[in-house]
Amino acid sequence: MAEIVGAIATSHIPAIGKAIAEGRQNEPYWKPFFDGYARPREWLAAMKPDVAVIVYNDHGLNFFLDKMPTFAVGAAATYSNADEGWGLPVLDAFDGDADLSWHLIENLVADEFDVVSCQKMLVDHGFVVPMALLWPGGGPWPVKTIPVSVNTVQHPLPSPGRCYRLGQAVGRAIESYPKDLRVVVLGTGGLSHQLDGTRAGFINKEFDRLCLRQIVSDPEALARLSVHDLMEQAGAQGVEFLNWIAMRGALHGAVTQLSCTYHVPISNTAGAVLLLENRKQAQRRVA
Ligand code: DHB
Ligand code: FE
């Protein structure tokens, strides 16, 4: 049976992709941030997952405001990146696992999550920057990928509770897949940031620290927040934390935190990376 070995939550800020492309990782501005990825990379090298299920948000490359699915799951054999206008190099395409994708989609719909299935899907910085951070060197990528996109862009957004339960359904679906695959779940985006409006530049370190604690030990407290609580506390784009909440739902009730780093600011955002391992003996909570 497929097994979820753990999860990594990480920022996906485009400036990180630019720093990687320009080899700036050891510059004083970037070093403390990139140092946080040493442990997750080491863990991935040891765990050798076969598949990464990546919960992220598209920012207008694949979905635009004219058609905005609340939840969408990739079901393609490959996913291409494309130029979004951030000046980032277009990265090598990512292999999918269409068979596992359809298993997820079938189980999610049976669980009343009526996701959009995407047999063609471009993946943007929300997906590719974490891949470039976690598997440096670019393609060919050593894992197959399944994009799970959450609308964090156009209101109404799904609630934290709904995203947590989606993650739980994703977790149950993965663990009911009959092939012996090792799966890592990624959640991307955040932490607090607001890119526009009168609060542009807003960062809330106190709330971020609370999120970093509760995502490990009490995700259900986060799942009880409203989207408006999250916007108020984390900023209009800080709602990307919904992706982290969904990622956490896919893990078991009890997890082990192997590393966590938080660094402010990266571009306009509080940067963070968190590595969690699933405890094998821990029970999956019933949704
Ligand atoms: C930034 C952060 C994001 O999450 C994003 O999608 C784009 C830009 C930033 O801080 O620059
Ligand atoms: Fe973003």
Side-chain angles (χ1 to χ4, degrees), residues 225-257:
L225 297 175
S226 72
V227 160
H228 295 102
D229 294 331
L230 205 51
M231 278 193 69
E232 189 180 357
Q233 295 295 325
Q237 281 72 40
V239 292
E240 291 176 345
F241 192 64
L242 291 171
N243 304 326
W244 289 46
I245 293 175
M247 167 220 74
R248 181 64 179 88
L251 296 180
H252 294 162
V255 294
T256 304
Q257 177 180 312

Side-chain angles (χ1 to χ4, degrees), residues 11-14 57-59 86 124-126 152-153 188-190 193 195 237-238 240 243 269:
S11 305
H12 64 214
I13 305 157
N57 61 288
D58 183 86
H59 301 71
W86 292 102
D124 79 353
H125 68 272
T152 69
V153 171
T188 91
H193 63 300
L195 302 178
Q237 281 72 40
E240 291 176 345
N243 304 326
T269 299

